[in-house]
Amino acid sequence: MAGASTPAIRTLTQAKVAHRVHAYTHDPRADSYGTEAVDALAGELGVTAAQIFKTLVLELSTGSLAVAVLPVPNTLSLKAAAAALGVSKASMADKAKAERTTGYVLGGISPLGQRKLLPTVVDDSALTWDRMLCSAGRRGLEIEVAPADLIRLTAAVTATVRT
């Protein structure tokens, strides 16, 4: 999408990482931002729902925040995410704290270009794809990128965190 720029897109551009940006019309009444992205893009781009990933912000037992990236159709295993991130427990972060820390609004939180690089776990199913999509940092905007590039730029670990 010409003219679209977010911290996530700038991160990819500055790192000279091949990517594509896809826009769709966000409906403010949507119940699930991830499902909305799947419904808008999967058929059009010829990808499956499992290739479109959501970004969830977690609060760790240490009191710090972290990020889990997993396919939209799946549910996050908090226990598996905590283990992958080397802590005893994880819970979903408070919405305001997640937005303040990442610099993005809920439904538009990208694993890339956050105000502060948070510890990140990417579900290992990403490695089965040559391309994946995740939020570009705004509702209605997705980035298509190679999983290896996302993992490298976020310094992520990979693990099975989906149920």
Side-chain angles (χ1 to χ4, degrees):
M1 176 178 170
S5 185
T6 65
I9 294 168
R10 286 192 294 277
T11 297
L12 290 167
T13 302
Q14 289 168 357
K16 295 181 174 35
V17 168
H19 65 281
R20 291 178 59 201
V21 178
H22 303 285
Y24 60 92
T25 303
H26 164 63
D27 181 350
R29 298 167 300 183
D31 290 337
S32 165
Y33 301 114
T35 302
E36 181 183 38
V38 167
D39 291 346
L41 298 174
E44 177 186 326
L45 300 178
V47 297
T48 71
Q51 282 177 271
I52 301 177
F53 284 66
K54 56 189 170 186
T55 306
L56 303 177
V57 181
L58 310 175
E59 183 146 5
L60 305 178
S61 50
T62 58
S64 61
L65 297 184
V67 172
V69 182
L70 68 153
V72 167
N74 294 107
T75 303
L76 176 66
S77 165
L78 289 167
K79 186 175 182 178
L85 293 163
V87 297
S88 60
K89 192 175 175 191
S91 60
M92 294 303 296
D94 170 72
K95 174 189 173 190
K97 192 172 185 180
E99 291 180 341
R100 189 171 53 250
T101 303
T102 64
Y104 293 121
V105 297
L106 207 66
I109 295 177
S110 177
L112 295 161
Q114 297 174 2
R115 284 193 177 131
K116 175 186 173 203
L117 183 63
L118 297 174
T120 301
V121 59
V122 174
D123 187 76
D124 58 8
S125 67
L127 300 172
T128 64
W129 305 108
D130 61 344
R131 60 185 176 142
M132 64 185 286
L133 284 90
C134 64
S135 177
R138 188 181 309 149
R139 293 174 186 155
L141 208 57
E142 295 281 308
I143 300 169
E144 180 181 328
V145 65
D149 288 328
L150 177 75
I151 291 163
R152 179 175 53 83
L153 290 173
T154 58
V157 296
T158 58
T160 303
V161 295
R162 70 196 180 282
T163 58

